Amino acid sequence: MIGGLALSFGAPLVLFGLLALPVIWWLLKLTPPRPQTETFPPLRILQEILKSEETPSKSPWWLTLLRLLLAALIIFALAAPTLNPRENQLSGDGLLALLIDNGWASGGDWDARRAAAEGLIREAGDAGRPISLAFTAEGPSDDATPVEATTALERLAAAAPHPIPTDRAAAAERMATALAGNSAGSLVFLADGLDSAETASAARTLAALAPSQAIVYAPGIDGLVGLTGADNSTEALVVKAVRPSGGAEARTFALRAVDAQGREIGRAPLEFAAGDSAAEARFAIPVELRNDIARLEVDGVSDAGAVRLVDDSFRRRRVALVSGESADVAQPLLSPLYYITRALEPFADLARPDSADLAEAIPSLLERRPSVVVLADIGVLPETAETALQKFVEDGGYLVRFAGPRLAATTGEDPLVPVRLRTGERQLGGAMSWSEPQKIAPLAAESPFAGIKVPDDVTVTRQILAEPSVNLADKTWASLVDGTPLVTAESLGAGTIVLFHVTAEATWSNLPISGAFVDMLRRIVTLSRASANTTDGRTAADSLPPYRVLDGQGRLVGPGADVQPLQLVADGPQPVTLQNPPGLYGTEDGYIAHNLLPAGTELKPLPPLDLGAPLQSRGYGGEDAVDLTPWLFAAALMLFALDALALLWLNGAFSRIGTAFANRRSTALPVIALLAAVALAASATPGLAQVAETAVATNAPDFTFDVEKAIEATETTHLAYVETGDPATDGISRAGLSGLTQYIAAKTALEPGEPIGIDIAADELAFYPIIYWPIDPAAPMPDQAAVSRIDAYMKQGGTVLFDVADDTLAGLSGGGVSAGQRRLRDILADLDIPPLEPVPSDHVLTKAFYIMSDFPGRHTGSELWVESLVRDADGASRPARGGDGVSSIMITANDLASAWAVDEQGLFLFPTDSSDPSQREYAYRAGVNIVMYVLTGNYKADQVHVPALLERLGQ
């Protein structure tokens, strides 16, 4: 303890590793000598190949200290130090009884609760005490039999919060049964902070264990909130919420409405006033958007109570109302639609016809996509309206009809009634009358109206009777006490037809003025789909399979194997259990929402408990305890990075990088990348190494080139051509060199890349072994700088092939001069070129690959001119006149590119002068010889010296 701060180690024996620091210092004090930097003196390198053994110099003191500190930090981190560790919480000995809340209110702080339980279990395990572990949201399979700490930790790791209320009494009973009358040394209750109906009973059961120590952990519940209802009224969506009672401060939460895809539709404030435990949030958004809502959730709260799921019954339906009366406005209380409107208006959008003509009114109403159509005393329907209504029902709509004088007077068959009706009506005092008004029988449990209570004073004096049939009972939803049907229904396609055998106003029965009438209509509308032409929603069913359920953090997940189908109950909300957790039940086509908190839920804080021993209250989390292990590892990692940077600095890496960046321009390649590109192309491009060496040595400011084009040019050998600016001429050059490239790849071991067009004024020329230059007299004359670059390229080992395609080259030997030759002379005038001559018969070009005597193209009238070679005095013994270098210039007028040119299908683009197909073959061979000559130089000429060389080697 230093200055109020305490330090503990989880693995103190690891600190003995500090004794190894002197050994580590001895090992780290040596470092290899720094490598020397040489400026490439070859003889010096050869001189120092044989090195005498050297003793490494000592490591700098600061580097040794850095590494020692790194080792010490790792040792301390492995010792698991904790600043201000929590003191032992358990006292005495004996069994540890651990009761843990894992209900819906535990989702937000479950990690803190599990961490607290883990600390208690480890402390009990270190003391050799058994642990009885029970969870309050588990079923009867939860076994509280005392186990060792290892087993208890495994059970704790497998536990998770459930989205259901806790059952503390059942968990306490399981613990008491497992202990079989034995007392508990320490009793710890890890609560969720809320009270429940079983808390007092559970406390009595736990107190009977006679513990010598009792501890209750309770979290702060100020941030706990639950959604208890959602009312999609006419004006807005109203969401009701509760928080634990006793909240003195005002607090505001953000409530989100999201659709089935998780997209936010709206956001509203949920404001709790000071001292209030209930609040409402309003979403004033259009009905169409409200109908897309699938989930309401409190932003930032991760438990199932802060989530409210909605289903098809939540959506506001559109109900179309049609009446056969004509005096609706004059006498509203006698209107058949008056009571229907009062019953449905608060939770449905009502639509009325614009015309009294049913043939027009009903199809017009159906175009508005209602869920339910109500016909109040409509007898005979026009054929158009009847067909439209029948299709509406078959597509999934609900048709609700009410009896009346008009329907009773109908004599024909009506396909839009669920049962066959008798003509006339049954009334009090008539031929088929009762002696007194009849009451309504209790609604059957299998009826869609199940759970609706009908008052005893509701009676019926007149009704339309149904013809008896074998399936009449199956079609009856409600009946009178004498067994005659009051409400019948029948499925038609995907929809349903419902018939009330009484009127919609109080002339035949006082049912329309009772609350049961409102409940019946709302139940029918709820059973209908939000739109008759969609497949969402559902119809009545006895049970529904689980579709999606909420987990302990309020997320929708797939149901587990222990989740059972939801059994619909007749009265009251369905209970939320471990077998039926909150979620969506049904199928993708239709489901209902099963929510956690019903209306009227109250959240109360946990009261003081009597657990049979002096009670110690604590909160979750070790706010004062700080685990130093991750911080020490982070510091060690930083020191390791500093050590790596120090090694790089000692080895001179930073100085080399600095030199590379000093020679780099913003638009040029680094020198290292340039030399790599040169190395790739040097074998195929004579003189390229000299160009790069000169550029690097002088660091010329204008030595820039396109990076991507440089990489493309150096990946493989490419033939290049000069772009003249004329699309036709450039197209012929590219097609010609492309054809020659394909021929070379097929006939030789060389596989050149696609030809590349170059701008002699801007592009780097050193990457290409040969440049084809078609002389076009109409093209602009290159400027002096471009001609100078060509001259430098030729002097450094490159070859330029000039092709004058318009005439023979007689002008070079004194004949007439054409426009193309005049342009060629202008270009050559600025070039420092050697004397030229036609290719001699003994020149290397005549035997570089093929044996040839001339070099035809599309034309055959011109010779190929090359650099004139000095005659060798020993010419008789050396017939090959190749010389020691490659001609830097070649000139022809045979239009080689046109002879080589092919299209994308490999077809020749231009005919040759001669009809003999061998001319084109010889043109290709001439191209192969020119390329091989440029790439290989005079090695063919040296073949004649092989016997002399072998003879000299033999001597």
Side-chain angles (χ1 to χ4, degrees), residues 406-600:
R406 290 178 178 79
L407 185 61
T410 304
T411 58
E413 293 290 335
D414 191 343
L416 294 180
V417 293
V419 294
R420 187 176 180 182
L421 302 177
R422 289 186 178 182
T423 304
E425 59 193 62
R426 182 186 185 189
Q427 58 182 333
L428 188 65
M432 296 183 296
S433 66
W434 307 282
S435 57
E436 58 184 13
Q438 294 292 304
K439 296 183 179 182
I440 299 176
L443 300 174
E446 61 273 8
S447 170
F449 293 151
I452 298 177
K453 183 174 179 58
V454 181
D456 294 336
D457 58 350
V458 174
T459 58
V460 175
T461 57
R462 300 172 65 180
Q463 70 169 154
I464 293 180
L465 294 177
E467 291 285 355
S469 62
V470 294
N471 58 352
L472 181 60
D474 297 333
K475 298 180 179 181
T476 301
W477 284 12
S479 61
L480 303 179
V481 292
D482 63 355
T484 56
L486 176 64
V487 181
T488 56
E490 182 183 26
S491 298
L492 178 62
T496 304
I497 301 174
V498 181
L499 173 64
F500 282 78
H501 290 243
V502 294
T503 58
E505 29 75 27
T507 56
W508 288 20
S509 171
N510 59 353
L511 175 64
I513 61 176
S514 68
F517 184 72
V518 176
D519 294 336
M520 288 179 176
L521 289 181
R522 292 191 176 184
R523 184 69 61 86
I524 293 173
V525 175
T526 301
L527 293 176
S528 68
R529 298 172 179 172
S531 175
N533 295 326
T534 59
T535 58
D536 54 2
R538 53 172 300 279
T539 58
D542 294 332
S543 64
L544 297 171
Y547 174 54
R548 294 286 189 274
V549 296
L550 292 177
D551 65 1
Q553 275 74 39
R555 299 167 299 191
L556 273 176
V557 297
D562 54 343
V563 181
Q564 303 297 321
L566 182 66
Q567 301 292 329
L568 300 182
V569 298
D571 191 13
Q574 293 113 328
V576 174
T577 62
L578 193 61
Q579 291 73 32
N580 291 131
L584 304 175
Y585 288 80
T587 63
E588 186 178 1
D589 294 331
Y591 49 77
I592 69 168
H594 184 40
N595 285 296
L596 173 66
L597 302 178

Side-chain angles (χ1 to χ4, degrees), residues 234-322:
T234 304
E235 295 80 12
L237 165 63
V238 180
V239 182
K240 297 182 179 181
V242 295
R243 67 171 178 174
S245 58
E249 296 182 357
R251 185 158 185 182
T252 301
F253 297 89
L255 192 62
R256 300 173 62 240
V258 298
D259 62 8
Q261 285 73 40
R263 296 170 297 192
E264 183 174 311
I265 294 178
R267 182 180 289 259
L270 182 63
E271 300 177 347
F272 287 91
D276 289 347
S277 59
E280 291 184 353
R282 297 175 64 86
F283 290 90
I285 56 179
V287 174
E288 289 76 12
L289 290 178
R290 279 186 266 157
N291 285 344
D292 290 336
I293 296 175
R295 174 187 177 102
L296 300 164
E297 59 184 18
V298 179
D299 193 15
V301 180
S302 56
D303 59 60
V307 176
R308 191 80 182 178
L309 300 175
V310 297
D311 53 22
D312 190 63
S313 63
F314 171 81
R315 302 179 182 179
R316 287 185 63 84
R317 279 24 175 213
R318 180 173 286 114
V319 179
L321 305 179
V322 183

Side-chain angles (χ1 to χ4, degrees), residues 63-318:
L63 183 60
T64 303
L65 180 62
L66 178 69
R67 293 176 175 176
L68 287 176
L69 182 58
L70 173 62
L73 286 177
I74 294 177
I75 293 173
F76 274 106
L78 293 176
T82 302
L83 186 64
N84 290 331
R86 176 172 289 180
E87 299 178 356
N88 291 340
Q89 305 174 67
L90 303 178
S91 61
D93 54 9
L95 179 138
L96 169 63
L98 203 58
L99 184 67
I100 304 176
D101 274 344
N102 64 329
W104 69 267
S106 305
D109 61 349
W110 175 250
D111 291 339
R113 186 163 306 151
R114 181 161 53 187
E118 182 178 350
L120 292 168
I121 293 173
R122 292 188 184 278
E123 184 179 341
D126 293 340
R129 303 171 64 176
I131 299 100
S132 175
L133 187 62
F135 297 93
T136 61
E138 301 290 345
S141 60
D142 182 42
D143 187 7
T145 302
V147 294
E148 295 181 351
T150 303
T151 305
L153 289 175
E154 292 177 354
R155 287 191 57 201
L156 179 64
H162 294 296
I164 62 174
T166 59
D167 190 351
R168 293 166 178 165
E173 288 292 339
R174 292 195 301 272
M175 180 174 288
T177 302
L179 296 184
N182 296 322
S183 61
S186 297
L187 174 63
V188 181
F189 178 28
L190 283 79
D192 58 17
L194 293 180
D195 191 14
S196 67
E198 304 85 8
T199 302
S201 175
R204 290 191 295 269
T205 303
L206 295 175
L209 299 178
S212 58
Q213 179 189 17
I215 304 175
V216 174
Y217 282 82
I221 56 176
D222 293 338
L224 201 63
V225 62
L227 302 183
T228 59
D231 182 16
N232 197 2
S233 63
T234 304
E235 295 80 12
L237 165 63
V238 180
V239 182
K240 297 182 179 181
V242 295
R243 67 171 178 174
S245 58
E249 296 182 357
R251 185 158 185 182
T252 301
F253 297 89
L255 192 62
R256 300 173 62 240
V258 298
D259 62 8
Q261 285 73 40
R263 296 170 297 192
E264 183 174 311
I265 294 178
R267 182 180 289 259
L270 182 63
E271 300 177 347
F272 287 91
D276 289 347
S277 59
E280 291 184 353
R282 297 175 64 86
F283 290 90
I285 56 179
V287 174
E288 289 76 12
L289 290 178
R290 279 186 266 157
N291 285 344
D292 290 336
I293 296 175
R295 174 187 177 102
L296 300 164
E297 59 184 18
V298 179
D299 193 15
V301 180
S302 56
D303 59 60
V307 176
R308 191 80 182 178
L309 300 175
V310 297
D311 53 22
D312 190 63
S313 63
F314 171 81
R315 302 179 182 179
R316 287 185 63 84
R317 279 24 175 213
R318 180 173 286 114

